[in-house]
Amino acid sequence: MEELDVVVSGLVFQDLVLGLPTPPRPGTEVWATGSHESPGGIANFAVALARLGLRTGMAATFGADDLGDRLWDRLHKDEGIDLSLSRKLNGWPTPLTVALAYDNDRALVTRGTTPPLSADDLITTPPKAKAVAAHIGPWPNEWLAKAKATGSLVFADVGWDPTEQWDPAVLDQLEHCDVFLPNADEAMAYTRTTSPGAALDVLATKVEVVVVSNGAHGAEAIDGRTGERIAVPAFPVPAADTTGAGDVFAAGFIAATLWDLPLEQRVRFAALTAALSVTKLGGADAAPHWADLAKWQQEHPEDQHLQALISAHQGR
């Protein structure tokens, strides 16, 4: 396995996104105004990174079924993602998520079971990568400590807790992480706080760099090494589907970190990539290409900082 820019690990899903005019109610039928099938879960991370020009690898479990085969080919052949650390398993169905997008948000329904192989089973030795990223949760992630020990930057995110218990013990895994990128709801739930800013304060005692994204309300970040704290507004866009936006945000931040950009520019670039992703249906498939960023650049000549950033890094 050649050295990569980023290796990501987590659950991969096949997503079916339905755009709805109104939320569904028992006893009624709602006709979708649009639909889109796309890789989802950790694939949102991987695809967004690859489209920004980073050499990306992914460690995930796929079912040896039609959905799994389609996802594998889509990610490897179409997006150029290295799947050397991933595995196809007989007898385990690839998870399927239906995302119902309406009112500038989405609700998710998933059919699936816990994968037979964990990230630690898939990544037995530290990957050769400048950075690694994972969805942490109530499962072991010992490989993160190994990756950090060999010099990789470690980025972590969290996903929805189906038990809604939000066990604070999950945050113990941040000991092995350099950057934590939760959304506001997740950050407040795990820290038992009532505002994103308060959650940021608690999380800053556990990990050096924390970025809390908050949808249309923007994002806040703190770098404990320098004491720098910033707040960045969201980019106003018409939202069609927010599925995967948090992962795309995190991918933008990771890319900008590897480009050695200042904290505020990293967060602003992440916010822009996430904003562009919500204008389309789909998770991974909605992640912007450089052509999408260049189009935004042409339409917003007044934003000199992002203009320069996009010009400097386009095509990397």
Side-chain angles (χ1 to χ4, degrees):
M1 184 177 180
E2 296 182 359
E3 183 174 0
L4 299 169
D5 292 314
V6 187
V7 169
V8 302
S9 179
L11 301 181
V12 64
F13 303 81
Q14 173 75 353
D15 283 356
L16 171 61
V17 181
L18 301 176
L20 303 180
T22 60
R25 292 175 290 116
T28 67
E29 180 178 15
V30 178
W31 284 65
T33 55
S35 66
H36 190 84
E37 289 191 58
S38 168
I42 199 64
N44 300 330
F45 242 129
V47 170
L49 288 163
R51 290 183 178 182
L52 291 174
L54 277 70
R55 296 166 298 169
T56 305
M58 188 173 81
T61 304
F62 296 72
D65 51 21
D66 178 62
L67 282 185
D69 290 343
R70 287 163 53 195
L71 279 172
W72 188 284
D73 289 345
R74 176 78 177 77
L75 296 169
H76 180 58
K77 294 181 179 179
D78 296 346
E79 301 291 347
I81 295 167
D82 187 318
L83 297 179
S84 302
L85 294 171
S86 295
R87 296 289 180 272
K88 289 184 181 181
L89 297 180
N90 290 313
W92 182 74
T94 301
L96 171 67
T97 293
V98 178
L100 307 177
Y102 56 88
D103 292 344
N104 296 322
D105 208 336
R106 81 283 185 269
L108 306 177
V109 180
T110 297
R111 179 226 65 197
T113 58
T114 302
L117 297 178
S118 68
D120 290 334
D121 294 325
L122 296 171
I123 309 174
T124 54
T125 59
K128 297 178 181 179
K130 296 175 184 176
V132 299
H135 285 160
I136 61 173
W139 52 78
N141 275 299
E142 297 299 327
W143 74 278
L144 293 178
K146 297 177 183 178
K148 185 170 184 177
T150 58
S152 295
L153 277 174
V154 180
F155 296 81
D157 196 353
V158 285
W160 176 258
D161 179 1
T163 69
E164 297 190 55
Q165 297 302 304
W166 311 102
D167 185 357
V170 167
L171 301 182
D172 292 344
Q173 295 182 30
L174 295 179
E175 175 187 355
H176 309 303
C177 301
D178 298 293
V179 182
F180 188 38
L181 295 145
N183 68 35
D185 290 338
E186 295 158 351
M188 291 186 290
Y190 276 111
T191 60
R192 307 301 196 260
T193 54
T194 57
S195 73
L200 191 70
D201 289 332
V202 173
L203 294 170
T205 67
K206 299 178 178 294
V207 64
E208 288 183 343
V209 178
V210 184
V211 187
V212 176
S213 57
N214 196 14
H217 300 290
E220 297 180 61
I222 189 168
D223 187 333
R225 299 165 300 183
T226 64
E228 182 180 9
R229 182 170 185 151
I230 62 158
V232 169
F235 289 84
V237 294
D241 174 28
T242 61
T243 303
D247 291 332
V248 175
F249 178 97
F253 188 87
I254 292 171
T257 299
L258 294 182
W259 298 334
D260 294 323
L261 297 178
L263 181 62
E264 183 173 2
Q265 288 191 32
R266 281 182 271 162
V267 178
R268 292 197 72 228
F269 183 73
L272 176 59
T273 58
L276 294 178
S277 77
V278 304
T279 62
K280 304 174 184 178
L281 291 182
D285 281 357
H289 294 85
W290 275 111
D292 300 309
L293 290 159
K295 180 181 178 182
W296 182 91
Q297 181 187 32
Q298 292 173 356
E299 294 172 349
H300 298 83
E302 73 284 356
D303 197 323
Q304 296 297 318
H305 290 295
L306 281 182
Q307 286 276 333
L309 190 161
I310 292 170
S311 296
H313 297 283
Q314 186 172 358
R316 279 197 173 194

